Amino acid sequence: MGHVRHEQVLDELGAAIANGSLPPGTVLRSEDLQDRFGASRTVAREVVRVLETMQLTSSKRRVGVIVREPGEWNHYDPRLIRWQLDGPSRPTALATLNELRSAIEPCAARYAALRATPEERGRLGALGERLARTARARDLTTFLGFDIEFHDLLLTASRNPMFAQLSQVVAEVLTGRTGHGLMPPEPQPEAIALHLEVAAAVAGGDADRAERAMRDIVVQAREEIAALVD
């Protein structure tokens, strides 16, 4: 129960900060948190500790816990991304995340084509085929799982540990898109063809082709989201 309560209070409070209903400069006192969420002092303290590691808040002696400016937050934290995608600023959050993906993923695909192991090349191809199969079956949940795995493998195979650590960020974007109905009922055939194209380019060690196909995937995702958000 304690853990559930902790997660629940963290989600409520974090979301309130992420969506601006608790603006920067707001002072949160432990007693207020206990009253507002019916949380124990221990839970309130744990939640505040997590928010501080995310750089959403900082503590000042004799003042309390203060909400920090958005520029100081850890924007790569998957929880913060989830709160933003669940909130009213979803279109902006999606646009920002898509810009990040546009900057990183085509480059990661290029390096994956140059550096992936034979086993990774084979797995990427198999995942591409599974994406095609689940898309035709309109099984969006299973499709999402394979899509996350595909992008995770590509980032890992780039052999750049900084790219690989963005895997959770990309997973949150893909999950948010599906969870908020920003995916067509059947993933678009062009998107599937492009994933297969990336896999084939990586398998063949063709860096230019892999980068180009991955850029097309991200551009298509951006256009799809823009059309649904407008």
Side-chain angles (χ1 to χ4, degrees):
M1 175 63 195
H3 180 66
V4 172
R5 194 76 200 108
H6 169 257
E7 289 297 315
Q8 200 179 340
V9 175
L10 178 61
D11 276 337
E12 283 184 48
L13 187 54
I17 294 172
N19 71 31
S21 55
L22 288 175
T26 303
V27 175
L28 308 167
R29 291 187 180 79
S30 185
E31 308 78 68
D32 300 342
L33 296 183
Q34 288 163 239
D35 293 344
R36 178 171 175 166
F37 299 104
S40 68
R41 180 178 297 176
T42 313
V43 167
R45 213 176 20 237
E46 281 172 17
V47 164
V48 164
R49 197 163 51 235
V50 175
L51 293 174
E52 291 200 353
T53 62
M54 295 172 70
Q55 295 166 323
L56 292 182
T57 61
S58 55
S59 286
K60 273 205 182 135
R61 282 187 61 181
R62 296 203 202 32
V63 179
V65 174
I66 301 162
V67 177
R68 298 174 73 157
E69 292 291 335
E72 299 173 338
W73 300 350
N74 174 12
H75 288 280
Y76 290 97
D77 192 297
R79 270 170 307 209
L80 176 55
I81 290 167
R82 195 176 318 138
W83 294 332
Q84 289 174 325
L85 291 178
D86 287 348
S89 60
R90 186 184 309 141
T92 313
L94 279 169
T96 303
L97 288 158
N98 231 73
E99 286 175 15
L100 179 73
R101 289 186 67 193
S102 308
I104 301 297
E105 288 199 88
C107 201
R110 157 173 286 279
Y111 290 125
L114 301 171
R115 299 169 180 165
T117 65
E119 192 247 353
E120 285 169 335
R121 294 175 202 269
R123 248 178 72 214
L124 206 58
L127 282 168
E129 295 299 339
R130 284 181 195 142
L131 282 171
R133 210 166 46 242
T134 50
R136 281 195 300 273
R138 296 184 159 222
D139 180 353
L140 286 186
T141 309
T142 313
F143 179 87
L144 172 65
F146 291 141
D147 203 15
I148 288 173
E149 227 180 304
F150 185 95
H151 290 271
D152 173 60
L153 179 57
L154 196 73
L155 289 163
T156 304
S158 73
R159 292 290 166 275
N160 180 322
M162 297 185 93
F163 287 175
Q165 279 192 1
L166 289 173
S167 173
Q168 265 189 300
V169 171
V170 173
E172 285 299 339
V173 183
L174 298 173
T175 305
R177 258 172 60 193
T178 300
H180 292 295
L182 297 173
M183 280 283 283
E186 183 178 327
Q188 298 193 355
E190 306 88 66
I192 306 306
L194 286 169
H195 281 75
L196 291 169
E197 169 77 1
V198 168
V202 169
D206 189 335
D208 288 340
R209 184 180 161 203
E211 183 172 1
R212 206 164 41 238
M214 189 64 229
R215 175 156 291 118
D216 288 344
I217 288 175
V218 186
V219 167
Q220 194 195 26
R222 184 180 67 213
E223 287 169 355
E224 210 169 80
I225 286 163
L228 288 159
V229 166
D230 284 347

